[in-house]
């Protein structure tokens, strides 16, 4: 057989469990037509490339990112990063900035909540330093903001404005029912943060998306699951429209598995209708949409992650977007429509409700059950729920660059010692037989540092970050985040970023491993990743990147 490409003398990690290592491959018409030892190449004709022992792996699949949201964040002008020692000190810093930069219509700051030392802002604090313009402070995780009265007025938020998702996404109110200016979680805050995004030009959108595509090519990311935008479907769709056009123009060298987002059970009917429309309208070679995304809970820092055991500092438990009965009904409908489900689940109760709902739906549907359900993030898990992922066929998606436990003192104050040191139990789930996948989840591009899959691999293996780690210097931890036995090995990281990701997206017949008949997506490295040092692993990059048989780097 005449082949378009023949490679020999390589160390090939295939991610195909039936043939995990190989030394040669052949490609024709964008597909692998041979994978094995060099003796088998005798059946193929064409120019042969001797790689001299270089390392080959499948293209990377990042199975929980945000492609559409960062386009808006890129132009949201959240500029000044503020640090300080308590509320008054931070107010002084912001007041000084405002006085030195007069005349702006809106002042936007970025603040890690830890610098408040347990205090909090109310709109009157912000009005005092900025009475004549709008002011907004983005909390570091991206799940809450503080705004002054002028910005509340701008968006028509009053004491009578209903909360988008009571108990989960809401406008904080004082004891008398007055809004304080603190806005919690996506459905409430995202339309404010991305103010003006619908006015972005095609040129602006193209510039940002091309930057992301360039990163994917550089890193060897050939497929992603886009986890969408809460509370702003119009802008989410605007970016999908542009991605569809890019693909039709032959400018999208990465497979995007998209979604439609809802945040509450009363949005389910409309969400399903819109998801089916998205599936039809955004259906090109490299853009497919068949998944409903639900923000099931929030984050630990602002006590919106849903817990079984109350938070150690507040005694609260947080809320879930759905109860198990309503979610089970939704899963049955998704099953009927051949659609899938992906959920943000940080707290132990968020994933428990999902597992309970899946169990109810499976019991009712029996052999007719086929919907793919994925729980993302899984920071805290109750011991009793760990074996249920494998038993119920629920995919466990982790964001391993978080697994160094950046703010350990905060973890301890939020969860207490037992739970604080038992987070991100990915190895336990892997060993149970659950399908475990990896992701880089981030809502802004930030120089693409957190998007780096090799950063995820390093911290997934070490649960640590050091001066050698290609990450923000403020994220260095320098010792292992317990439990140490949750560290993964390199083979598990590679499998999670390739074939397991393909299985989560339902594209394992075409992508995720180097096997005959699949798309010829593969990466060539000068270094042997299987033997590389774990510390500093995040600095690796492929030398060559192939997408569907075409060399794109």
């Amino acid at each position: 057989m005449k082949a378009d490409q023949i490679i020999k003398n390589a160390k090939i990690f295939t991610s195909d469990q039936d043939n995990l290592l190989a030394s040669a491959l052949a490609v024709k018409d964008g597909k692998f037509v041979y994978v094995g030892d060099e003796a088998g190449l005798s059946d193929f004709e064409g120019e042969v490339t001797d790689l001299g022992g270089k390392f080959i792996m499948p293209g990377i699949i990042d199975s929980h990112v945000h492609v559409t949201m960062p386009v808006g964040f890129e132009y949201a002008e959240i500029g000044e990063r503020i640090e300080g020692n308590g509320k008054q000190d931070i107010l002084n810093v912001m007041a000084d900035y405002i006085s030195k930069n007069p005349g702006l219509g809106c002042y936007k700051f970025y603040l890690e909540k830890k610098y408040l030392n347990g205090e909090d802002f109310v709109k009157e604090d912000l009005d005092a330093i900025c009475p004549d313009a709008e002011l907004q402070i983005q909390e570091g995780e991206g799940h809450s903001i503080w705004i002054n009265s002028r910005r509340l007025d701008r968006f028509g938020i009053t004491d009578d404005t209903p909360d988008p998702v009571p108990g989960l996404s809401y406008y904080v109110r004082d004891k008398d029912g007055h809004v304080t200016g603190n806005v919690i979680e996506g459905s409430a805050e995202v339309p404010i943060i991305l103010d003006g995004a619908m006015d972005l030009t095609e040129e602006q959108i193209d510039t940002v998306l091309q930057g992301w595509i360039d990163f994917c090519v550089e890193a060897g990311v050939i497929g992603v699951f886009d986890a969408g935008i809460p509370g702003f479907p119009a802008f989410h769709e605007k970016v999908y429209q542009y991605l569809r056009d890019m693909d039709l123009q032959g400018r999208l060298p990465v497979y995007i598995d998209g979604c439609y987002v809802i945040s509450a059970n009363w949005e389910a009917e409309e969400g399903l209708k819109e998801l089916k429309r998205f599936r039809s309208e955004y259906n090109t070679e490299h853009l497919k949409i068949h998944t409903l995304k639900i923000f099931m809970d929030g984050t630990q820092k602002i006590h919106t992650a849903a817990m079984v055991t109350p938070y150690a500092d507040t005694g609260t438990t947080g809320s879930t977007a759905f109860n198990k009965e309503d979610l089970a009904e939704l899963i049955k409908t998704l099953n009927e429509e051949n659609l899938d489900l992906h959920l943000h689940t940080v707290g132990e109760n968020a994933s428990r409700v999902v597992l309970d709902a899946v169990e109810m739906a499976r019991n009712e549907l029996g052999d007719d059950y086929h919907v793919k359900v994925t729980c993302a993030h899984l920071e805290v898990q109750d011991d009793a729920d760990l074996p249920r992922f494998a038993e119920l066929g629920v995919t466990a998606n982790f964001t391993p660059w978080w697994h160094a436990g950046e703010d350990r003192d905060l973890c301890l104050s939020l969860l207490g010692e037992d739970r604080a040191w038992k987070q991100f139990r990915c190895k336990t789930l892997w060993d149970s037989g659950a399908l475990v996948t990896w992701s880089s989840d981030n809502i802004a591009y930030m120089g693409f540092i957190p998007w780096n899959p090799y950063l995820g691999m390093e911290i997934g293996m070490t649960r640590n970050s050091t001066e050698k780690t290609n990450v923000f210097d403020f994220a260095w931890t320098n010792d292992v985040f317990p439990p140490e036995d949750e560290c993964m090995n390199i083979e598990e990281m590679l499998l999670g970023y390739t074939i397991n990701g393909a299985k989560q997206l339902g594209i394992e017949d075409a992508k995720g491993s180097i096997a005959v008949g699949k798309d010829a997506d593969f990466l060539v490295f000068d270094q042997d990743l299987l033997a590389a040092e774990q510390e500093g692993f995040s600095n690796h990059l492929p030398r060559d990147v192939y997408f569907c048989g075409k060399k794109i780097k």
Side-chain angles (χ1 to χ4, degrees), residues 78-153:
I78 302 171
E80 292 300 310
R81 186 184 183 96
I82 302 297
E83 297 181 5
N85 185 19
K87 180 171 76 170
Q88 191 56 56
D89 185 43
I90 295 166
L91 287 169
N92 292 341
V93 171
M94 292 190 294
D96 182 63
Y97 178 88
I98 292 168
S99 69
K100 292 177 179 176
N101 297 272
L104 299 183
C106 183
Y107 294 87
K108 295 181 179 180
F109 302 97
Y110 176 97
L111 174 72
E112 293 284 348
K113 192 173 183 179
K114 64 183 179 182
Y115 294 119
L116 283 170
N117 298 336
E119 300 177 283
D120 211 347
F121 297 118
V122 293
K123 62 180 183 294
E124 289 80 9
D125 298 322
L126 307 182
D127 293 344
I129 64 168
C130 189
D132 301 320
E134 297 175 26
L135 186 151
Q136 174 180 303
I137 308 168
Q138 171 70 61
E139 198 279 321
E141 277 192 316
H143 283 254
S144 65
I145 55 175
W146 297 270
I147 54 179
N148 69 350
S149 293
R150 280 186 173 265
R151 197 134 176 91
L152 285 167
D153 292 344

Side-chain angles (χ1 to χ4, degrees), residues 343-354:
L343 307 101
H344 170 113
T345 51
V346 167
E348 57 202 347
N349 195 44
S351 51
R352 173 173 288 183
V353 170
V354 176

Side-chain angles (χ1 to χ4, degrees), residues 22-44:
S23 59
L25 61 80
V27 175
K28 183 175 177 61
D29 296 331
K31 305 284 187 182
F32 294 113
V33 292
Y34 176 75
V35 181
D37 59 23
E38 294 180 14
L41 292 177
S42 60
D43 294 332
F44 298 90

Side-chain angles (χ1 to χ4, degrees), residues 380-453:
V380 184
Q381 292 295 289
D382 190 274
D383 292 349
D385 292 324
L386 291 170
R388 301 179 69 200
F389 285 83
E391 293 166 1
L392 295 169
V394 174
T395 299
N397 177 266
F398 288 89
T399 307
W401 76 275
W402 299 354
H403 295 188
E406 176 193 341
D407 196 336
R408 302 182 184 191
D409 290 339
L410 181 60
C411 289
L412 189 61
S413 67
L414 289 168
L415 300 178
E417 189 165 356
D418 181 54
R419 281 187 300 169
W421 310 143
K422 288 172 59 178
Q423 296 190 79
F424 307 117
R425 289 192 279 176
C426 47
K427 178 65 171 174
T428 297
L429 281 171
W430 187 287
D431 289 344
S432 75
L435 183 70
V436 176
T437 60
W438 310 123
S439 65
S440 63
D441 176 51
N442 214 61
I443 59 173
Y445 288 141
M446 302 174 69
F448 297 105
I449 290 173
W451 295 67
N452 175 6

Side-chain angles (χ1 to χ4, degrees), residues 208-222:
V208 179
L209 287 176
Q210 189 59 54
W212 173 70
I213 290 169
D214 291 346
F215 160 77
C216 290
V217 170
E218 181 72 8
V221 176
I222 59 88

Side-chain angles (χ1 to χ4, degrees), residues 281-300:
E281 294 187 15
Y282 305 102
N283 181 21
T284 57
E285 183 178 7
H286 301 136
L287 176 64
K288 306 288 182 183
I289 301 173
H290 56 91
T291 301
L292 190 69
K293 162 72 183 295
I294 298 175
F295 279 85
M296 195 65 175
D297 68 342
T299 75
Q300 293 185 44

